[in-house]
């Protein structure tokens, strides 16, 4: 199931609020310099970093597992967004673009298949934790982290933060996510930790494909083919996200054109 009723009850209102808030912010900061226009994204990035720091500390206190290592797909927020916000060198526009692509990827997953990002059980656990009825801090982290990350997508769209040059941008996106796959794909197998679904898939239909390939080709070759399939998808989704970001920025943004 791509969506559950609990996802619908929680995410659709979020999307509406995020879009309205980002629109208001974009108008309030219109014609301001880039540092002022980046302020909302900076605040979101700092919140994401603080949430991750809290998760790492809680993990150490309660019993650390390799799953808490920030190498998941959405962990890229922790590496790319700080450069987009605080790096002021000549490649800043590239980091801003890549941050926009990461944010768009998350939005696409949240809009199409939120149940693969976090389950409705995670939502319940978050509320139980907040209301003192048990639950899990880690589920709270998951829901809040992805909520803040999704909001940044709307900031990119309505503020028109990214600048586009498709001939240069497409190779950059391919290289960035290709390197991610090259590093994280093998490491996930070595430490048997399911970063980015590289070890097994949280999506039942993809897991069935993985198991079918392994049955046909054997464990080692079958798993290798599966990792390659996930790697191709991990490059293609950001490419799709790039064009979605480009198109929506052109429609709703203020300065998304090449400059």
């Amino acid at each position: 199931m791509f969506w559950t009723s609990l996802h619908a009850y929680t995410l659709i209102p979020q999307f509406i609020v995020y879009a309205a808030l980002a629109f208001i912010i974009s108008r309030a900061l219109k014609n301001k310099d880039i540092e002022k226009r980046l302020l909302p994204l900076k605040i979101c990035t700092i919140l994401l970093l603080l949430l991750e720091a809290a998760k790492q500390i809680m993990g150490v206190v309660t019993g650390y597992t390799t799953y808490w290592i920030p190498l998941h797909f959405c962990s890229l927020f922790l590496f790319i967004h700080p450069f987009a916000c605080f790096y002021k060198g000549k490649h800043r526009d590239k980091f801003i673009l890549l941050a926009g692509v990461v944010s768009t990827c998350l939005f696409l997953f949240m809009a199409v298949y939120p149940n693969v990002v976090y389950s409705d059980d995670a939502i319940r656990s978050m509320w139980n934790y907040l209301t003192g009825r048990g639950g899990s801090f880690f589920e709270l982290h998951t829901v809040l982290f992805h909520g803040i990350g999704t909001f940044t997508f709307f900031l990119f769209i309505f503020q028109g933060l990214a600048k586009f040059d498709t001939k240069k941008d497409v190779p950059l996106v391919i290289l960035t996510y290709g390197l991610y796959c090259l590093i994280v794909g093998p490491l996930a197998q070595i430490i048997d930790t399911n970063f980015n679904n590289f070890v097994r898939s949280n999506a039942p239909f993809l897991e069935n494909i993985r198991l079918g390939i392994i049955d046909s080709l054997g464990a080692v070759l079958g798993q290798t083919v599966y990792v390659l399939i996930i790697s191709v998808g991990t490059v293609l989704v950001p490419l799709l996200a790039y064009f979605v970001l480009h198109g929506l920025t052109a429609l709703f943004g203020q300065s998304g054109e090449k400059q």
Side-chain angles (χ1 to χ4, degrees):
M1 184 180 297
F2 283 30
W3 281 70
T4 67
S5 58
L6 195 52
H7 283 108
Y9 295 147
T10 56
L11 286 179
I12 294 174
Q14 281 184 60
F15 292 162
I16 295 171
V17 171
Y18 291 162
L21 183 56
F23 176 80
I24 292 169
I25 288 172
S26 71
R27 293 304 178 261
L29 297 179
K30 186 177 182 180
N31 300 323
K32 301 293 184 181
D33 63 61
I34 186 62
E35 295 303 326
K36 289 185 175 66
R37 293 177 62 228
L38 281 173
L39 182 59
L41 185 64
K42 290 179 180 180
I43 293 172
C44 290
T45 298
I46 291 170
L47 289 174
L48 291 175
L49 291 170
L50 289 174
L51 272 173
E52 184 64 23
K55 185 188 82 172
Q56 295 298 324
I57 293 169
M58 186 68 76
V60 171
V61 170
T62 61
Y64 200 85
T65 72
T66 54
Y67 194 74
W68 306 135
I69 298 173
L71 290 175
H72 299 276
F73 186 90
C74 288
S75 298
L76 290 170
F77 276 88
L78 304 171
F79 303 103
I80 296 177
H81 283 61
F83 277 100
C85 291
F86 303 110
Y87 167 73
K88 297 181 181 179
K90 65 179 182 178
H91 299 299
R92 187 181 205 180
D93 287 346
K94 294 183 176 63
F95 284 112
I96 292 175
L97 174 71
L98 289 172
V101 170
V102 174
S103 296
T104 306
C105 286
L106 175 56
F107 170 76
L108 291 176
F109 277 110
M110 295 297 284
V112 175
Y113 198 171
N115 204 29
V116 81
V117 179
Y118 57 74
S119 66
D120 50 3
D121 286 337
I123 301 172
R124 294 188 186 94
S125 180
M126 174 200 70
W127 283 115
N128 288 338
Y129 185 84
L130 287 173
T131 56
R133 296 179 295 170
S136 168
F137 169 81
F138 298 105
E139 302 292 11
L140 171 66
H141 168 276
T142 295
V143 176
L144 287 181
F145 189 98
H146 291 94
I148 295 169
T150 301
F151 175 57
T152 65
F153 161 76
F154 291 92
L155 290 176
F156 275 100
I157 294 302
F158 285 104
Q159 288 192 275
L161 295 173
K163 301 175 184 178
F164 300 98
D165 183 350
T166 301
K167 289 183 179 180
K168 294 181 180 179
D169 296 340
V170 168
L172 176 64
V173 172
I174 293 173
L175 176 62
T176 300
Y177 287 92
L179 285 174
Y180 171 78
C181 294
L182 188 63
I183 295 169
V184 179
L187 181 61
Q189 314 306 310
I190 293 170
I191 65 176
D192 191 27
T193 303
N194 199 30
F195 303 126
N196 192 48
N197 287 331
F198 275 126
V199 176
R200 64 194 67 85
S201 179
N202 294 329
F205 68 94
L206 280 177
E207 180 62 6
N208 289 335
I209 291 174
R210 183 184 78 89
L211 295 175
I213 294 172
I214 289 175
D215 284 342
S216 299
L217 302 179
V220 175
L221 181 58
Q223 184 67 13
T224 300
V225 171
Y226 168 75
V227 171
L228 290 174
I229 292 172
I230 295 298
S231 297
V232 170
T234 303
V235 173
L236 290 179
V237 170
L239 282 174
L240 171 63
Y242 168 80
F243 288 104
V244 170
L245 177 66
H246 196 341
L248 292 179
T249 300
L251 285 175
F252 301 109
Q254 298 175 11
S255 59
E257 72 280 357
K258 180 183 172 183
Q259 296 180 356

